[in-house]
Amino acid sequence: MSFLADAEKLNAANQINAWNTKAMGAMEQAKSAFVSIRNQRVAMEKNLDYSPSDILEVDNILLNLNALANTLPIK
């Protein structure tokens, strides 16, 4: 194996690791935001200031976020 082939593989590995780190951080941030929205939705159920249509609107947000997450390809 040549030096150039090894260097190319190392560059690819470094790029994949960088993308992985970035994706993991973004997903953790998205997960945290999703949980915050879900917790607010639970609190809304106990607060008479929020109508059923208000709660339904938040339910739709959560469904849309979940649907987006499920579009991630497996391979």
Side-chain angles (χ1 to χ4, degrees):
M1 211 172 280
S2 74
F3 167 74
L4 293 177
D6 287 345
E8 185 176 320
K9 286 171 56 176
L10 180 59
N11 287 339
N14 286 336
Q15 182 62 63
I16 289 168
N17 282 330
W19 286 330
N20 179 55
T21 299
K22 184 177 179 180
M24 292 295 284
M27 288 183 178
E28 286 297 329
Q29 187 176 13
K31 180 180 173 182
S32 177
F34 184 92
V35 169
S36 294
I37 295 168
R38 188 189 64 199
N39 290 342
Q40 180 62 40
R41 190 246 181 252
V42 170
M44 289 169 68
E45 288 180 341
K46 300 171 188 170
N47 187 332
L48 297 177
D49 289 341
Y50 295 101
S51 70
S53 65
D54 295 333
I55 294 170
L56 183 59
E57 190 173 342
V58 176
D59 284 343
N60 287 331
I61 289 169
L62 292 170
L63 287 170
N64 289 335
L65 288 170
N66 192 270
L68 179 60
N70 286 324
T71 65
L72 290 171
I74 300 297
K75 289 185 180 181

